[in-house]
Amino acid sequence: MPRFLTMIRIDENTLPGQEPDPGFEGRAAALFEEINKAGVMRETRGLFPTAEGTRLTWSEGKISSTDGPFTETKEVVGGYSITETRDKAEAVEWVRRFLEIHPKNWTVSAEVRQIEEG
């Protein structure tokens, strides 16, 4: 079965001030239990803020590095998951359900990409 990488994108400049509603933790726990029981989830984690990261760039035969935060970037990858599903449609459906548990006043997006195997 194909594996998919989902990158959860957030705006670091606005999200930290937005507290989740009281039911968010319960909705997330229920969905993670369901996706684990379905045998789909392989790995998932949140990422530290970009303030603690370093960006490396290869350009014109040279490496440059920039320590975070990366203020010129509006959206950053705030977390990721690796799932193994029958097809892309199933992977997208799980991600849609994940996004829907978030508070309505949050803006969170996700990119789903199949992982090249072999």
Side-chain angles (χ1 to χ4, degrees):
M1 288 201 304
R3 294 185 309 149
F4 293 87
L5 170 67
T6 300
M7 294 167 280
I8 305 301
R9 297 187 180 275
I10 61 170
D11 181 344
E12 276 189 323
N13 297 317
T14 60
L15 198 58
Q18 299 179 18
E19 294 298 321
D21 60 67
F24 176 70
E25 296 293 329
R27 292 190 307 271
L31 181 62
F32 283 126
E33 182 178 342
E34 185 179 349
I35 196 170
N36 282 312
K37 281 184 180 178
V40 170
M41 183 64 69
R42 295 294 171 254
E43 181 177 336
T44 187
R45 294 284 183 270
L47 300 175
F48 283 98
T50 61
E52 299 181 37
T54 299
R55 182 176 288 160
L56 299 169
T57 303
W58 172 258
S59 179
E60 298 181 13
K62 295 179 184 173
I63 293 277
S64 64
S65 69
T66 305
D67 289 332
F70 311 122
T71 56
E72 73 281 358
T73 305
K74 182 175 181 195
E75 285 187 337
V76 298
V77 177
Y80 73 95
S81 70
I82 296 176
T83 55
E84 189 171 354
T85 59
R86 289 182 305 275
D87 53 28
K88 183 178 176 185
E90 182 183 7
V92 167
E93 176 61 19
W94 282 112
V95 173
R96 182 192 62 76
R97 292 182 60 196
F98 173 73
L99 292 176
E100 287 179 340
I101 68 169
H102 287 79
K104 292 182 188 291
N105 64 321
W106 285 21
T107 300
V108 181
S109 64
E111 181 178 337
V112 179
R113 310 238 330 249
Q114 187 167 348
I115 298 171
E116 267 189 53
E117 304 290 349

